[in-house]
């Protein structure tokens, strides 16, 4: 039951946080008294083109990956952080990402999972912030908690195309395998 609740919350957050597409925005916009005038011929029409062919990570990868991790029981010991908490803890603004999810354990020990998709500049910034965070975690556990330090040393820190994956967890290898399986199937 807990898995179902976590999955539903993740899906609702992902769906609720995305910006509406042009057709959705038009369908939900309040009617106006008079129709607007057509755009002048020299103004380019808005592009409704799909994502470029070189876009290696579709937006739904985050939701699919969360579902796969949840189904495998890999998210049982963590909870999803709110966007404000992600900004406070990591310095990452989730609203600047195309899609993303961040999980941590309840006591802030070592289980951390971050998956983000976005543009190059946003991911560059997030990658630098997460590297700094990982360095601080390693420094924190060095000398007094060898088990936690070992997890931090084995962290998954991966950037492929427009996807950034950061995992500090006893399940890091299983989570990475699920990511590889989904991304290679595309």
């Amino acid at each position: 039951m807990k898995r179902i609740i976590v999955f539903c919350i993740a899906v609702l957050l992902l769906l609720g946080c995305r910006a509406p597409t042009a057709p959705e925005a038009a369908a939900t916009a309040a009617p106006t008294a008079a129709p607007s005038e057509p755009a002048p011929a020299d103004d380019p029409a808005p592009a409704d083109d799909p994502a470029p062919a070189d876009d290696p990570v579709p937006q739904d990868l985050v939701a699919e990956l969360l579902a796969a991790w949840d189904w495998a029981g890999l998210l049982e010991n963590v909870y999803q952080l709110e966007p404000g908490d992600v900004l406070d803890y990591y310095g990452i603004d989730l609203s600047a990402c195309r899609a993303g999810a961040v999980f941590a354990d309840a006591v802030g020990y070592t289980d951390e999972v971050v998956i983000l998709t976005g543009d190059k500049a946003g991911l560059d910034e997030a990658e630098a912030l997460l590297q700094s965070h990982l360095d601080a975690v390693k420094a924190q556990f060095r000398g007094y908690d060898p088990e936690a330090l070992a997890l931090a040393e084995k962290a998954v820190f991966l950037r492929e195309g427009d996807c950034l994956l950061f995992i500090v967890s006893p399940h890091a290898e299983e989570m990475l395998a699920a990511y590889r399986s989904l991304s290679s199937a595309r």
Side-chain angles (χ1 to χ4, degrees):
M1 181 65 147
K2 183 179 175 183
R3 290 183 193 165
I4 294 171
I5 292 172
V6 169
F7 174 73
C8 290
I9 290 171
V11 170
L12 289 173
L13 285 172
L14 288 171
L15 292 176
C17 293
R18 68 175 177 80
T21 61
E24 288 173 337
T28 59
T32 58
S36 60
E37 294 183 24
D42 60 345
D43 286 348
D48 288 334
D49 296 336
D54 63 344
D55 184 11
V57 182
Q59 293 181 25
D60 60 349
L61 175 70
V62 173
E64 289 179 26
L65 188 56
L66 293 178
W69 286 344
D70 187 49
W71 183 82
L74 302 175
L75 296 176
E76 287 183 348
N77 297 324
V78 295
Y79 69 97
Q80 189 163 9
L81 296 178
E82 297 292 326
D85 294 332
V86 174
L87 185 60
D88 291 342
Y89 193 64
Y90 296 101
I92 297 171
D93 182 5
L94 288 179
S95 68
C97 300
R98 193 173 7 165
V102 178
F103 293 84
D105 65 10
V107 294
Y109 187 61
T110 52
D111 282 352
E112 299 179 71
V113 179
V114 178
I115 180 165
L116 305 170
T117 61
D119 64 10
K120 181 181 178 341
L123 291 182
D124 286 347
E125 181 180 351
E127 185 175 18
L129 290 166
L130 288 171
Q131 183 61 58
S132 177
H133 172 76
L134 180 60
D135 293 342
V137 167
K138 288 177 182 178
Q140 174 186 356
F141 292 122
R142 190 167 283 118
Y144 83 92
D145 192 339
E147 290 177 20
L149 179 59
L151 283 177
E153 294 288 345
K154 294 179 182 179
V156 170
F157 204 146
L158 174 73
R159 181 163 174 193
E160 291 183 345
D162 64 348
C163 183
L164 178 63
L165 188 62
F166 172 77
I167 305 169
V168 178
S169 170
H171 306 294
E173 290 301 319
E174 295 167 87
M175 296 173 116
L176 178 60
Y179 167 79
R180 293 252 186 250
S181 175
L182 280 173
S183 63
S184 69
R186 296 180 179 275

